[in-house]
Amino acid sequence: MTEFWFSRHGILRRYLLLIGAIIATQISVYGSLLFTRWQGALAQLLVSADSNNFGSFVLAFVIAVCTTEVSSALALLFIKWIGIDWRQWLTNVVMRNWLRNDAFAWMERTRRIDNPDQRISEDTDQFATTLLSLAIGFLKNISMLWTYSLLVWEKGGPLVLGWAGQGLTIPGGMFWFSIAWASFVTIVAAFAGRAFKTLTIRQQQAEANFRFAAADIRNNAEAIALMRGGPREGETLLRKFLSVRTAVLRLAFFNARFDMLRGVLALTGAQIPTLLLLPRYFRHEIGANALMQTAAGVAALTVSLQWIVDNYTTIQQFRAASTRLTELKDAAAEAGRLHQPTIERAADSEFILHDLSVADPENKTLIGNLSATIRPGERWIVRGSPGSGKSSLLRTLGGLWPYGNGTILFPHDANVISLPQLAYFPDGTLRDALAYPQESSHFKDADYAAALNAALMTPFSSALDETARWRKRLSPGQLQKLAFARAFLHKPDILFLDEATASLDGRSEEVLYRTLVAHLPASIIVSVSHHPSLDRFHTDSLDLAGDGAWTSGKITL
């Protein structure tokens, strides 16, 4: 995920912004030092009551504030700019992994991981922006550590543990105190905050599950309404929200305890330096200027040394995002490594299955050692009782079913299209929906009109440029006709149909298949259907018993 920094695209802008962020951060450290010295001068001014240099004193304040705030704002801008570039690159990489080898379909079917959409949209942002902020913040912290170490060592002098000059004298004692206190706070915070990462991941999962359930209701609104399922869905949503509530409260109670502990340690650490220096001030060994500068310097040095504590929640959020992205990457890689039938491209025009076996997820053999050669112009119909492996066979041929072995040889450069029972149509124009996954410009207007006319959808020829959610606007039967129109438009070399006419009346089914035979005379067609009336549109049959046995033969009418 760090390859972004070595990518040639936009490399000049990327590193100029990074250098700018680092320089602006260092300037802000210098501004902070100016402000610390100004605080010391303020204490001395109050003690001396000298108003002669009041104007230059105010000017020094303005310079310190402007230097700190302007440079901090520029650093934040540069960090955000690089962050969105990194997020764009990372999103592209993660999406490619998710979509490669149809890994997204396998993840959805097996539920190997939860909510990949959230991981892509939110965790990529969390990873890129958080890691970048932590890295720049760490560099700033190193600068502050060096700067204020010199200041504290110079102004703080020795630390005397005792009273009236009697006791143990520690050279550079305030410096060593800062290190000891920061180490103590870091150890306490690491121990107290060890559960934060787990609680954060659980909340993200609960939030994503609740959002997914609500989106699922929207996507199936009509079916739920027809079943009068609104109250039941409301109960389901409420249960999922209760999981969100529990996760949020657990994290809130943890944060309350952790923030209270951190606050007590921060307030205590801020006052201890002053209390330790007061005896020397009372003995007039140091002035008010040195007292204020040292106290402020110790506070800044302590903050620098306990950087991990102050950024603990951010670090854990980054770890949670990194874990979830790694899980998504590993799941995508696992999908690519699954043992499944070998799919190859051959120079021959025939579609060949060699010793193909298909099983269910429980490893029960549905089809055993199927070997067949399907030639251009042949149309096969796959028959069998429910659960016999018909749809699993088509998923295997499409490379989506990993439970099996054998070899599948496709003709070289063959255009393959599948028409499932519920075909996918993206939101947008009807032209885009029909051309998918090609660009709409790939086809001419006359091609669209001819395809719609052949699929009994002639009235929609005038709606090619109309934008709609076609999966919601059209009935199941109309969607299946639209799927046939897509097949007529693309003219595939191999066409798989899985109950592609289940929602159609007999007359429409007959017309569409008759048109299919006429329009695609040289195509290889493999259909799955329970309708005996479709036999006459096929040349061969494949009957599945569901226990591994199968028979095939020519259809004679």
Side-chain angles (χ1 to χ4, degrees):
M1 297 182 184
T2 57
E3 292 88 348
F4 165 76
W5 296 100
F6 305 100
S7 172
R8 302 178 70 89
H9 178 69
I11 190 170
L12 179 61
R13 181 184 66 188
R14 183 183 315 137
Y15 280 99
L16 286 176
L17 288 172
L18 179 62
I19 294 171
I22 293 174
I23 292 175
T25 299
Q26 301 310 307
I27 293 175
S28 72
V29 173
Y30 177 71
S32 175
L33 179 62
L34 290 179
F35 190 74
T36 299
R37 295 190 182 280
W38 180 86
Q39 286 181 304
L42 173 63
Q44 192 63 39
L45 180 66
L46 293 176
V47 172
S48 64
D50 182 8
S51 61
N52 292 330
N53 297 320
F54 184 74
S56 60
F57 181 76
V58 173
L59 178 61
F61 170 77
V62 173
I63 292 174
V65 171
C66 290
T67 301
T68 303
E69 297 305 320
V70 171
S71 58
S72 296
L74 286 175
L76 180 61
L77 173 62
F78 295 153
I79 290 171
K80 290 290 186 182
W81 197 337
I82 303 172
I84 192 60
D85 284 350
W86 195 359
R87 179 187 176 186
Q88 180 180 353
W89 179 90
L90 184 58
T91 299
N92 186 39
V93 170
V94 174
M95 282 197 305
R96 285 206 310 267
N97 289 336
W98 182 50
L99 298 174
R100 185 184 294 124
N101 297 323
D102 300 317
F104 63 96
W106 174 78
M107 292 181 199
E108 191 65 24
R109 184 176 61 251
T110 61
R111 300 294 181 181
R112 168 67 172 75
I113 60 171
D114 63 278
N115 306 299
D117 54 322
Q118 182 199 33
R119 297 172 192 247
I120 294 172
S121 63
E122 297 180 11
D123 290 334
T124 52
D125 179 36
Q126 191 86 315
F127 179 91
T129 57
T130 304
L131 180 56
L132 191 60
S133 297
L134 287 172
I136 298 296
F138 182 74
L139 291 177
K140 177 181 179 180
N141 188 69
I142 295 297
S143 297
M144 290 186 65
L145 184 62
W146 173 256
T147 301
Y148 283 101
S149 292
L150 295 176
L151 176 66
V152 171
W153 190 275
E154 174 190 352
K155 299 291 185 180
L159 176 63
V160 179
L161 300 179
W163 191 255
Q166 302 297 320
L168 177 65
T169 300
I170 304 175
M174 297 307 297
F175 172 78
W176 298 115
F177 163 78
S178 301
I179 293 178
W181 179 258
S183 300
F184 168 73
V185 171
T186 300
I187 293 172
V188 171
F191 178 79
R194 61 191 185 279
F196 184 84
K197 175 187 172 183
T198 301
L199 292 174
T200 299
I201 290 177
R202 288 177 180 173
Q203 180 183 342
Q204 290 175 336
Q205 288 175 338
E207 295 276 12
N209 290 337
F210 176 70
R211 184 171 60 250
F212 181 82
D216 196 44
I217 293 175
R218 188 185 65 184
N219 292 333
N220 298 279
E222 185 173 314
I224 293 172
L226 289 172
M227 294 291 292
R228 303 296 185 266
R232 177 66 178 273
E233 295 299 327
E235 294 172 1
T236 301
L237 276 182
L238 181 58
R239 283 197 302 272
K240 291 186 178 294
F241 182 77
L242 289 177
S243 298
V244 174
R245 183 178 186 275
T246 300
V248 169
L249 287 178
R250 284 178 177 172
L251 187 58
F253 278 112
F254 170 86
N255 283 331
R257 295 192 300 269
F258 186 79
D259 290 345
M260 181 174 59
L261 174 63
R262 188 172 61 177
V264 169
L265 293 174
L267 290 174
T268 303
Q271 301 307 318
I272 289 180
T274 303
L275 296 176
L276 292 175
L277 289 168
L278 277 177
R280 294 184 62 203
Y281 176 75
F282 293 148
R283 294 194 301 268
H284 304 289
E285 295 177 6
I286 58 174
N289 189 326
L291 173 66
M292 293 299 294
Q293 282 197 56
T294 303
V298 170
L301 179 58
T302 303
V303 168
S304 299
L305 289 168
Q306 62 187 48
W307 178 84
I308 293 178
V309 176
D310 294 335
N311 291 275
Y312 190 83
T313 56
T314 304
I315 292 172
Q316 296 304 319
Q317 288 170 348
F318 163 73
R319 290 184 63 203
S322 179
T323 297
R324 288 171 58 78
L325 287 176
T326 300
E327 289 174 349
L328 180 60
K329 179 182 178 182
D330 291 344
E334 182 180 345
R337 292 193 304 266
L338 287 174
H339 178 70
Q340 55 187 353
T342 302
I343 298 179
E344 300 177 358
R345 295 280 181 170
D348 203 336
S349 61
E350 297 173 338
F351 178 42
I352 301 173
L353 311 178
H354 180 66
D355 287 337
L356 180 64
S357 295
V358 180
D360 64 11
E362 286 72 39
N363 207 31
K364 175 191 173 185
T365 300
L366 301 175
I367 306 171
N369 299 321
L370 172 62
S371 293
T373 299
I374 307 178
R375 297 172 178 81
E378 292 185 349
R379 300 177 297 280
W380 286 53
I381 185 167
V382 183
R383 303 179 297 202
S385 60
S388 59
K390 301 184 302 299
S391 295
S392 298
L393 174 61
L394 289 194
R395 291 191 182 100
T396 302
L397 299 181
L400 301 180
W401 194 255
Y403 311 107
N405 54 71
T407 303
I408 304 171
L409 292 176
F410 282 93
H412 185 64
D413 292 333
N415 178 20
V416 183
I417 286 183
S418 295
L419 301 188
Q421 187 170 344
L422 295 174
Y424 172 73
F425 293 97
D427 295 343
T429 65
L430 183 59
R431 189 189 305 271
D432 290 333
L434 287 169
Y436 182 86
Q438 299 283 355
E439 294 292 334
S440 58
S441 58
H442 189 76
F443 304 100
K444 300 177 180 179
D445 286 352
D447 297 330
Y448 289 105
L452 288 169
N453 182 60
L456 308 179
M457 296 285 283
T458 303
F460 286 86
S461 298
S462 59
L464 283 173
D465 295 312
E466 185 176 338
T467 299
R469 298 183 64 194
W470 300 104
R471 287 167 292 167
K472 298 298 181 182
R473 174 174 170 177
L474 301 180
S475 68
Q478 287 177 312
L479 288 173
Q480 290 194 330
K481 290 180 180 178
L482 203 62
F484 270 84
R486 175 183 286 167
F488 296 141
L489 181 67
H490 286 259
K491 297 180 173 60
D493 300 304
I494 300 178
L495 178 62
F496 299 131
L497 302 98
D498 188 2
E499 302 287 359
T501 57
S503 299
L504 296 175
D505 61 275
R507 173 59 181 166
S508 297
E509 180 182 63
E510 178 183 349
V511 171
L512 287 176
Y513 258 93
R514 192 179 303 279
T515 306
L516 191 67
V517 173
H519 277 62
L520 305 176
S523 296
I524 293 173
I525 297 176
V526 180
S527 301
V528 166
S529 178
H530 290 97
H531 300 170
S533 58
L534 293 182
D535 287 358
R536 67 181 184 274
F537 299 109
H538 296 83
T539 60
D540 297 79
S541 65
L542 176 63
D543 293 285
L544 306 180
D547 59 359
W550 54 271
T551 57
S552 64
K554 290 291 182 179
I555 295 178
T556 57
L557 299 175

